[in-house]
């Protein structure tokens, strides 16, 4: 093995192994603090610099927690399967760390990697992501089973049922993006969204994003889908019998999985590292990426502080009767509208392009008069060029400029585009509402009697 | 060199996993050993640059088949695994015989020194090529398979619904 | 309701080898509200058998009281239902006051009502918080509820010196008068309380998840509720209009205008029990407002000696506690100590229907059903 290879491997993996666990520490602090504020508390505020009275808003809390976890006694129940009990937290962490590799994070030091390490460039990164993140289910079942505790077992069973069910809408909502881009490569998906062409701005992308996020909550066992670790019912679920560092590993694995799945949501729908000021400072793309991840995680924390938990049957019904049909319908709609839109708009934009190319192609004919440019022609051509580049946002900008100047074809393009988008939004809304009416329980507030 | 080492490591893990899966009395241990086997198989696919197949191997065999096995075990009373009842090994002879026969059949071309290039044309393992293959020459096969699976799914739902109906009937009675 | 059990038997008949998962929930469990235990048999997630086990907090309360003078067991009643020491005191005082003829001064009567209704607020607020906590909302509603509870406990502390173990009532009145300015502070609190209730109702009562989790869960029919002797908000949630404040009109409850919320008895599920308590809090606020407006100046306790020898008699004093009918049954034999001292604990008697409500539900339902019954183990086990 050459020095080059080792350097590449280190450069590719060590940042992931350092950045995300430190972000985990910060997230635990953020979660504690945010939950505390939601609940009228202050949260950690004393654990700052040791041996001083400087609190630093409790920023030292994660470190203190970590130290505590390491020094706690590691308890293995007598009847437990010792090997599996040990392996489960490790197995929970590995897939979570592994799928981080598939995120199209562009670190500034990436240019020092000579290209022998190809982990980021996997052609089927999205499929790999789902395949490997599914392994976390096994770890959870392993933990639940190996603990020889009935609460753990119940938690494990719940986890398996829940994660298997929610994987389907998760995958199906990602399919929409894969369809639009025509690639499973995370990098290509990210590139397709540069210049604020985020898929979340399209109707089907928005629907898919919402479905994806809900399913991601269930995949990472976050409230309101935290049944596998439902405290009020089954103590701590599958990690009831874990203490000390093994528990910390589970905790770490869970948060890394949250990062990973939020990262995938960011990649698929929120434009990956896309954001402002990228031309002057390309390194900002990592910052935008992580900031978006934190945005999603903040929503997760907010939900945790707000919502009660679903029951098992309601959870399953929600996945199978609402999310699954809606995501399948969304794929159908995305295909229809995308290609309907594309056929119509592409023809018009080709016509625009043709109108300027035509004189040049027929320049041999002597008598041909140069056509007088229509008002807004230049902008329309820019729009058409952006359109062929699949840069919808740029195309929209230029077409609107052209339309403002009275360019008829641009107007028709914009009309068609917005018409189809509005239509598909309405159709999606109606569909969601209908499914909701079919699958929701009949629960509603009641009136009560009073005796004087 | 690196590839060869990786291949041998994966191959040894695969064989060991398969052996443990067959030999363990404990069902859950067996399932997990089987999954190790699947995982190393997926690694072997990766080594052959068939990354899509590798991903599908994990997705289908570990994510679906393995979990299905776990589900099946969860439905039995041996879910806690403390049942030490012996699994009788009657008929192991026939098992060995069948395994040997399969091995021989697989090795037959190598023994005969047959020229395999006629059979196995080199294919483009990329996802795009695979997708195009599926959508163009094999689209009918794909659709028929999809239809079959959908029918199976609906059939399963109908079967479980039917079971519920009889339960309601008994309730009414 | 027994569908699950039938289903299980059906499976057995078909010769499929399935086994029930037997879980001992408690005595150390996050949501058994103390050291209560449920032996649950599960078919998957469905509860097919449930056996409540209690007695882990047995403290010999009744026997202790039979070996000391009447007044000395007053502090022990605080520990029965340790959320509601004031109402426990009152029920005991009511029973003992029937043994010794004593006039309770007007101001004491008013203060008793004020304390009892504040206690009801404390209890219901806590219950609702814990109930939503059992539903899985991690602490947030509970902390909101505790914020209000703390304000009331501050008032208790100012009046009696203790936040929870108040020991404030005496036979014939109260131990001491409330300090200066206490009534104004209470008025302020009572004026602000409806705002909290509005907030709570807005946040919780129409929450989709809460509605679907609680409605149709743990149905308690009117017949079963009456037959089992269930009382309090739970009985009213099952459609019986029965409130001892109206029926007995003990103390001076006949002077106040308030309404008793109850249901039409169609469901009697967890949502009804939750909502009845929410609505009762508004009525308590109405009572408090009237009492605080009308309270006169004057003595706080009638003339009673600390140790007395009542004539041999049997008395039963009962009040509408926040959890139900809290009764004290005393047999006096002419000595300074009761011959028999018996508590009718609403928590325990309401708990008897737990199994009937839980069977056929999911394990998550069992937890919230227990939460909606509103038990305090100090009172269940005594």
């Amino acid at each position: 093995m050459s020095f080059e290879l080792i350097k590449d491997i280190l450069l590719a993996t060590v940042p992931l192994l350092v950045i995300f666990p430190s972000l985990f520490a910060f997230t635990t602090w953020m979660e504690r603090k945010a939950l505390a504020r939601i609940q009228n508390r202050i949260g950690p505020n004393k654990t700052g610099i040791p041996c001083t009275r400087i609190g630093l808003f409790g920023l030292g809390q994660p470190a203190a927690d970590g130290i505590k976890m390491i020094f706690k006694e590691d308890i293995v129940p007598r009847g437990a399967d010792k090997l599996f009990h040990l392996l489960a937290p490790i197995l929970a962490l590995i897939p979570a760390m592994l799928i981080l590799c598939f995120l199209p994070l562009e670190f500034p030091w990436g240019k020092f990697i000579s290209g022998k390490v190809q982990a980021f460039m996997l052609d089927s990164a999205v499929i790999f992501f789902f395949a490997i993140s599914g392994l976390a289910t096994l770890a959870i079942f392993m933990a639940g089973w190996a603990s020889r505790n009935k609460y753990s077992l119940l938690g494990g069973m719940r986890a398996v049922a829940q994660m298997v069910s929610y994987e389907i809408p998760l995958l199906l909502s990602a399919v929409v993006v894969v369809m639009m881009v025509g690639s499973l490569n995370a990098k290509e998906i990210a590139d397709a969204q540069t210049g604020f062409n985020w898929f979340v701005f399209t109707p089907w992308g928005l629907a898919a994003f919402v479905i994806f996020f809900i399913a991601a909550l269930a995949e990472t066992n976050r409230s309101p889908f935290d049944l596998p670790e439902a405290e009020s019912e089954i103590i701590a679920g599958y990690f009831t019998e874990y203490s000390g560092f093994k528990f910390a590993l589970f905790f770490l694995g869970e948060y890394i999985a949250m990062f990973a799945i939020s990262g995938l949501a960011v990649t698929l729908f929120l434009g990956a590292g896309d954001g402002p000021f990228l031309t002057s400072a390309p390194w900002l793309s990592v910052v935008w990426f992580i900031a978006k991840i934190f945005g999603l995680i903040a929503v997760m924390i907010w939900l945790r502080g707000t919502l009660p938990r679903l029951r098992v049957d309601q959870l399953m019904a929600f996945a199978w009767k609402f999310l699954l049909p809606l995501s399948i319908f969304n794929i159908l709609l995305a295909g229809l509208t995308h290609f309907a839109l594309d056929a119509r708009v592409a023809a018009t934009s080709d016509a625009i392009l043709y109108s300027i190319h035509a004189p040049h192609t027929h320049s041999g004919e002597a008598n041909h008069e140069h056509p007088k440019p229509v008002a807004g022609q230049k902008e329309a051509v820019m729009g058409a060029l952006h359109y062929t580049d699949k840069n919808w946002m740029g195309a929209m900008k230029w077409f609107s400029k052209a339309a403002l100047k009275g360019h008829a074809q641009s107007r028709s393009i914009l009309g068609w585009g917005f018409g189809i988008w509005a239509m598909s939004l309405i159709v999606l809304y109606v569909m969601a509402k209908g499914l909701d009416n079919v699958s929701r329980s009949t629960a509603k507030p009641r009136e009560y009697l009073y005796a004087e | 060199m690196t590839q060869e080492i990786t291949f041998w490591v994966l191959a040894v893990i695969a064989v060991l996993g398969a052996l443990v899966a067959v030999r363990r009395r404990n069902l859950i241990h067996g399932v997990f050993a089987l999954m190790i086997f699947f995982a190393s198989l997926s690694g072997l696919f990766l080594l052959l640059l068939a990354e899509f197949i590798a991903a599908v191997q994990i997705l289908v065999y570990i994510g679906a088949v393995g979990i299905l096995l776990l589900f099946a075990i969860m439905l039995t009373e041996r879910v806690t695994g403390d049942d030490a009842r012996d699994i009788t090994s009657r008929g192991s002879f026939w098992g060995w015989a069948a395994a040997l026969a399969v091995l021989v059949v697989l090795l037959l071309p190598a023994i005969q020194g047959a020229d395999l290039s006629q059979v196995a044309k080199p294919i483009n393992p990329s996802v795009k090529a695979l997708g195009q293959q599926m959508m163009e020459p094999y689209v009918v096969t794909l659709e028929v398979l999809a239809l079959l699976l959908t029918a199976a799914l609906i059939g399963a739902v109908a079967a479980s619904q039917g079971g519920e109906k009889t339960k309601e009937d008994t309730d009414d009675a | 309701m027994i569908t699950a059990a039938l289903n299980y038997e059906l499976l057995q008949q078909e010769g499929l080898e399935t086994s029930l998962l037997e879980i001992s929930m408690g005595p150390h469990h996050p949501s058994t509200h103390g050291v209560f235990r449920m032996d649950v048999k599960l078919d998957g997630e469905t509860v097919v058998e449930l056996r409540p086990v209690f007695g882990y907090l047995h403290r010999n309360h009744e026997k202790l009281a039979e070996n000391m003078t009447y007044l000395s067991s007053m502090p022990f009643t605080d520990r029965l239902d340790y959320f509601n020491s004031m109402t426990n005191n009152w029920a005991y005082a009511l029973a003992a006051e029937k043994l010794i003829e004593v006039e309770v001064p007007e101001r004491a009567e008013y203060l008793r009502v004020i304390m009892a209704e504040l206690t009801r607020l404390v209890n219901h607020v806590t219950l609702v918080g814990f109930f939503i906590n059992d539903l899985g909302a991690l602490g947030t509603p509970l902390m909101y509820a505790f914020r209000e509870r703390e304000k009331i406990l501050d008032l208790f502390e100012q009046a009696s010196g203790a936040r929870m173990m108040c020991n404030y009532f005496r036979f014939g009145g109260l131990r001491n008068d409330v300090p200066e300015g206490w009534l104004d502070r209470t008025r302020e609190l009572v004026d602000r309380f409806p705002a909290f209730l509005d907030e709570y109702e807005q946040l919780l009562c129409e929450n989709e998840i809460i509605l679907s989790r609680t409605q149709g869960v743990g149905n308690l029919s009117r017949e079963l509720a009456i037959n089992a002797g269930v009382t309090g908000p739970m009985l009213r949630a099952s459609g019986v209009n029965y409130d001892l404040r109206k029926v007995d009109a003990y103390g001076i409850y006949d002077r106040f205008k308030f309404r008793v919320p109850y249901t039409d008895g169609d469901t009697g599920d967890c949502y009804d029990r939750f909502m009845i308590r929410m609505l009762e809090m508004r009525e308590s606020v109405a009572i408090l407002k009237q009492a605080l407006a009308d309270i006169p100046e004057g003595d706080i306790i009638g003339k009673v000696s600390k140790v007395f020898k009542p004539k041999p008699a049997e008395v039963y004093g009962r009040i509408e506690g926040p959890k139900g009918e809290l009764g004290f049954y005393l047999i006096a034999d002419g000595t300074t100590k009761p011959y028999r001292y018996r508590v009718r604990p609403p928590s325990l008697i309401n708990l008897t229907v737990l199994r009937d409500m839980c069977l056929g539900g999911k394990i998550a339902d069992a937890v919230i059903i227990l939460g909606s019954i509103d038990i305090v183990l100090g009172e269940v086990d005594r």
Side-chain angles (χ1 to χ4, degrees):
Chain A
M1 270 201 239
S2 61
F3 167 75
E4 195 82 328
L5 187 64
I6 293 171
K7 187 201 79 182
D8 280 358
I9 290 176
L10 287 182
L11 269 179
T13 52
V14 170
L16 290 180
L17 293 176
V18 172
I19 289 178
F20 280 97
S22 6
L23 284 181
F24 154 72
F26 178 71
T27 312
T28 54
W29 173 82
M30 191 172 90
E31 175 150 23
R32 279 173 167 231
K33 211 65 181 167
L35 272 185
R37 292 316 301 157
I38 289 173
Q39 299 175 354
N40 278 318
R41 297 185 284 121
I42 299 172
N45 59 343
K46 299 276 188 209
T47 1
I49 300 165
C51 308
T52 62
R53 295 187 66 84
I54 303 167
L56 281 181
F57 311 105
L59 267 171
Q61 190 65 44
D65 281 346
I67 294 168
K68 181 195 77 176
M69 285 295 186
I70 292 170
F71 285 104
K72 271 183 101 165
E73 187 190 353
D74 174 36
I75 300 167
V76 183
R78 194 187 296 148
D81 192 312
K82 293 201 175 50
L83 179 69
F84 276 27
H85 192 265
L86 171 71
L87 282 181
I90 301 170
L91 189 63
L93 186 57
I94 289 174
M97 295 296 276
L98 209 55
I99 47 183
L100 289 176
C101 302
F102 303 119
L103 300 181
L105 277 164
E106 286 175 41
F107 291 112
W109 48 82
K111 54 178 175 283
F112 299 116
I113 299 177
S114 59
K116 282 189 180 172
V117 179
Q118 293 268 318
F120 302 98
M121 296 301 181
L122 266 183
D123 239 2
S124 44
V126 176
I127 292 211
F128 255 99
F129 190 98
F130 289 120
I132 294 179
S133 68
L135 296 186
T137 320
L138 287 178
I140 288 173
F141 183 82
M142 211 177 190
W145 179 80
S147 298
R148 190 62 57 89
N149 175 316
K150 285 168 181 171
Y151 293 117
S152 302
L153 194 62
L154 263 179
M157 287 180 180
R158 281 181 172 191
V160 174
Q162 170 179 336
M163 291 168 96
V164 167
S165 305
Y166 276 85
E167 227 162 58
I168 300 166
L170 194 75
L171 248 159
L172 287 182
S173 55
V175 161
V176 176
V177 171
V178 172
M179 246 165 67
M180 296 295 126
V181 181
S183 167
L184 288 165
N185 189 328
K187 184 81 179 65
E188 279 177 31
I189 291 172
D191 286 344
Q193 300 180 68
T194 45
F196 288 94
N197 290 305
W198 303 0
F199 286 115
V200 74
F201 297 144
T202 60
W204 44 87
L206 181 67
F209 172 65
V210 173
I211 296 170
F212 188 92
F213 189 68
I214 293 172
L217 284 176
E219 278 293 295
T220 47
N221 301 330
R222 293 291 296 188
S223 169
F225 305 110
D226 53 348
L227 282 96
E229 47 204 73
E231 192 206 339
S232 58
E233 294 151 31
I234 49 173
I235 323 284
Y238 52 88
F239 52 67
T240 305
E241 294 289 356
Y242 281 90
S243 65
F245 204 65
K246 286 181 191 165
F247 175 78
L249 278 184
F250 263 122
F251 208 51
L252 178 62
E254 200 165 285
Y255 275 80
I256 299 281
M258 270 164 64
F259 287 131
I261 209 137
S262 311
L264 189 65
V266 168
T267 309
L268 291 177
F269 303 104
L270 300 179
D274 189 39
F277 313 119
L278 274 181
T279 38
S280 50
W283 54 271
L284 269 177
S285 101
V286 179
V287 177
W288 293 136
F289 199 104
I290 289 176
K292 285 174 197 170
I293 289 183
F294 265 96
L296 290 183
I297 284 184
V299 177
M300 289 184 179
I301 294 172
W302 177 23
L303 287 178
R304 184 173 174 213
T306 314
L307 289 179
R309 189 182 301 121
L310 287 169
R311 204 172 50 210
V312 180
D313 49 335
Q314 293 165 348
L315 179 93
M316 290 296 155
F318 186 61
W320 292 100
K321 292 184 186 165
F322 183 80
L323 287 184
L324 182 64
L326 189 64
S327 53
I328 290 177
F329 179 75
N330 191 34
I331 293 175
L332 199 70
L333 184 86
L336 275 178
T337 52
H338 182 75
F339 291 110
L341 183 73
D342 206 50
R344 181 75 202 183
V345 176
T348 323
S349 89
D350 279 353
I352 294 172
L353 283 182
Y354 186 74
S355 68
I356 55 160
H357 281 299
H360 299 287
T361 47
H362 300 281
S363 56
E365 293 171 30
N367 287 342
H368 194 275
E369 269 186 41
H370 206 282
K372 207 178 154 199
V374 192
Q377 177 84 5
K378 213 186 275 174
E379 285 83 0
V381 170
M382 282 302 286
L385 284 174
H386 274 109
Y387 186 79
T388 38
D389 249 10
K390 293 199 171 182
N391 184 349
W392 323 116
M393 284 289 162
M396 205 167 78
K397 197 177 84 187
W398 285 107
F399 280 138
S400 338
K401 277 185 185 171
L404 278 179
K405 288 189 178 173
H407 191 259
Q409 279 167 317
S410 303
R411 282 189 176 169
S412 107
I413 286 178
L414 283 177
W416 270 94
F418 281 115
I420 287 177
W421 278 27
M423 270 303 289
S424 48
L425 260 184
I426 292 167
V427 168
L428 273 172
Y429 179 77
V430 169
M431 182 74 187
K433 205 78 191 152
L435 277 175
D436 193 32
N437 280 340
V438 173
S439 70
R440 95 160 37 182
S441 62
T442 50
K444 57 179 182 296
R446 293 179 187 150
E447 293 292 318
Y448 289 91
L449 308 172
Y450 283 101
E452 287 297 329
Chain B
M1 182 62 199
T2 336
Q3 286 203 350
E4 261 174 42
I5 296 173
T6 324
F7 169 78
W8 280 108
V9 170
L10 285 173
V12 168
I13 292 176
V15 171
L16 281 182
L19 277 179
V20 172
V22 178
R23 296 301 300 168
R24 279 302 284 208
R25 287 283 183 262
N26 191 318
L27 284 176
I28 305 247
H29 284 184
V31 172
F32 276 103
L34 193 66
M35 285 178 191
I36 290 172
F37 166 70
F38 288 146
S40 46
L41 215 58
S42 144
L44 287 175
F45 279 128
L46 264 185
L47 217 56
L48 294 171
L49 293 180
E51 54 175 61
F52 181 74
I53 312 280
V56 168
Q57 172 81 17
I58 297 180
L59 202 63
V60 172
Y61 281 92
I62 302 184
V65 173
I67 301 261
L68 197 70
L69 284 174
L70 284 180
F71 261 118
I73 295 171
M74 280 194 310
L75 292 178
T76 68
E77 58 175 326
R78 301 155 71 105
V79 60
T80 43
D82 36 34
D83 193 347
R85 248 184 299 177
D86 257 347
I87 301 169
T88 51
S89 312
R90 262 184 306 151
S92 65
F93 169 76
W94 294 110
W96 281 111
L100 266 177
V102 171
L103 184 72
V104 167
V105 168
L106 285 176
L107 286 179
L108 214 55
I111 297 168
Q112 289 181 333
D115 186 15
L116 286 178
S117 59
Q118 294 300 315
V119 190
K121 270 180 279 179
I123 54 154
N124 182 359
S126 79
V127 189
K128 207 157 216 155
L130 250 163
Q132 259 153 11
Q133 289 282 313
M134 252 185 233
M135 274 297 139
E136 278 152 18
Y138 298 113
V139 68
V140 179
T141 327
L142 185 78
E143 289 303 316
V144 168
L145 270 179
L147 200 68
L148 190 71
L149 285 177
T150 315
L153 199 69
I154 294 171
V157 171
S160 65
Q161 287 288 319
E164 215 153 272
K165 216 169 255 171
T166 56
K167 193 190 78 188
E168 278 166 19
D169 291 345
T170 50
D171 279 0
D172 292 342
Chain C
M1 194 182 248
I2 322 166
T3 345
L6 273 181
N7 189 12
Y8 171 64
E9 275 164 17
L10 203 72
L11 279 174
Q12 292 296 304
Q13 285 164 7
E14 283 170 9
L16 286 171
E17 267 186 85
T18 59
S19 63
L20 294 178
L21 190 64
E22 196 174 346
I23 290 191
S24 167
M25 285 178 83
H28 298 294
H29 187 280
S31 54
T32 49
H33 300 260
V35 283
F36 178 64
R37 194 175 120 204
M38 295 188 278
D39 274 351
V40 188
K41 281 186 185 157
L42 296 178
D43 179 15
E45 288 259 348
T46 312
V47 178
V48 293
E49 181 55 58
L50 184 142
R51 196 169 61 93
V53 184
F54 41 82
Y56 294 96
L57 203 61
H58 184 61
R59 303 179 305 289
N60 249 336
H61 175 75
E62 290 174 3
K63 200 67 194 167
L64 278 175
E66 284 163 18
N67 286 294
M68 54 179 70
T69 58
Y70 286 95
L71 189 57
S72 9
S73 50
M74 182 65 91
F76 287 104
T77 61
D78 289 340
R79 276 86 179 161
L80 275 177
D81 174 358
Y82 38 76
F83 279 114
N84 312 322
S85 57
M86 292 285 194
T87 44
N88 298 344
N89 287 175
W90 196 2
Y92 181 48
L94 216 59
E97 278 160 12
K98 285 186 182 169
L99 284 175
I100 45 165
E101 301 292 322
V102 60
E103 190 73 18
V104 182
E106 192 82 333
R107 185 175 172 82
E109 287 281 25
Y110 270 95
L111 274 175
R112 281 181 170 191
V113 169
I114 291 169
M115 292 301 180
E117 293 309 318
L118 283 176
T119 304
R120 200 178 310 279
L121 288 182
V122 167
N123 180 74
H124 285 2
V125 144
T126 321
L127 170 98
V128 170
F130 274 118
F131 179 67
I132 310 292
N133 205 38
D134 285 347
L135 278 170
L138 192 119
T140 309
L142 188 64
M143 296 312 280
Y144 274 60
F146 267 44
R147 178 185 63 188
E148 301 308 310
R149 175 175 177 258
E150 288 304 302
K151 290 176 193 163
I152 300 176
L153 290 191
D154 283 346
L155 290 176
F156 285 172
E157 188 180 12
Q158 288 159 19
S160 72
R163 296 170 71 80
M164 287 175 79
M165 305 301 147
C166 296
N167 182 22
Y168 188 54
F169 284 49
R170 287 291 177 271
F171 306 140
L174 299 165
R175 194 178 69 210
N176 53 276
D177 203 348
V178 290
E180 210 173 307
W182 188 90
L183 288 172
D184 290 329
R185 286 193 288 276
T186 312
R187 277 182 202 115
E188 203 179 316
L189 178 129
V190 169
D191 285 341
R192 276 197 312 223
F193 203 82
F196 160 75
L197 285 178
D198 290 341
E199 182 189 29
Y200 228 57
E201 268 176 16
Q202 191 190 347
L203 288 174
L204 301 179
C205 294
E206 287 173 22
N207 182 304
E208 181 81 34
I209 299 179
I210 291 180
L211 287 180
S212 57
R213 278 293 304 276
T214 53
Q215 294 200 351
V217 169
N219 290 6
L220 179 63
S221 68
R222 184 187 279 136
E223 290 71 34
L224 183 58
I226 294 172
N227 289 346
V230 168
T231 47
M234 217 170 135
L235 181 67
R236 293 193 280 279
S238 287
V240 184
N241 171 22
Y242 180 76
D243 188 325
L244 286 177
R245 290 177 295 179
K246 292 281 188 196
V247 176
D248 276 12
Y250 58 91
I252 50 166
Y253 269 112
D254 46 353
R255 296 187 199 174
F256 303 115
K257 226 175 108 56
F258 65 100
R259 302 175 300 168
V260 178
Y262 67 104
T263 69
D264 49 14
D266 285 345
T267 45
D269 54 16
C270 286
Y271 183 73
D272 284 340
R273 293 195 275 277
F274 159 68
M275 278 308 291
I276 289 288
R277 278 157 181 135
M278 292 295 292
L279 299 175
E280 263 183 26
M281 280 195 270
R282 294 215 182 259
E283 302 307 317
S284 288
V285 169
I287 298 174
L288 276 169
K289 277 192 176 146
Q290 296 168 41
L292 285 164
D294 299 345
I295 182 167
E297 292 293 322
D299 281 341
I300 202 70
I301 188 161
K303 282 208 175 307
V304 190
S305 60
K306 278 183 180 151
V307 180
F308 49 83
K309 288 185 179 173
K311 291 191 199 78
E314 288 182 28
V315 291
Y316 181 61
R318 60 179 187 175
I319 62 159
E320 178 72 25
K323 292 180 165 60
E325 176 186 334
L326 175 64
F328 281 81
Y329 179 69
L330 300 175
I331 301 180
D333 59 355
T335 63
T336 58
K337 299 168 188 170
Y339 171 74
R340 180 75 175 100
Y341 170 106
R342 158 96 182 125
V343 186
R344 183 210 186 271
S347 290
L348 173 65
I349 291 165
N350 290 355
L351 191 60
T352 51
V353 287
L354 176 69
R355 182 178 176 274
D356 302 270
M357 291 197 284
C358 285
L359 285 194
K362 298 274 182 285
I363 185 170
D365 292 339
V367 166
I368 62 164
I369 290 169
L370 181 68
S372 74
I373 293 176
D374 190 9
I375 57 166
V376 162
L377 262 292
E379 192 176 76
V380 172
D381 292 342
R382 279 161 288 136

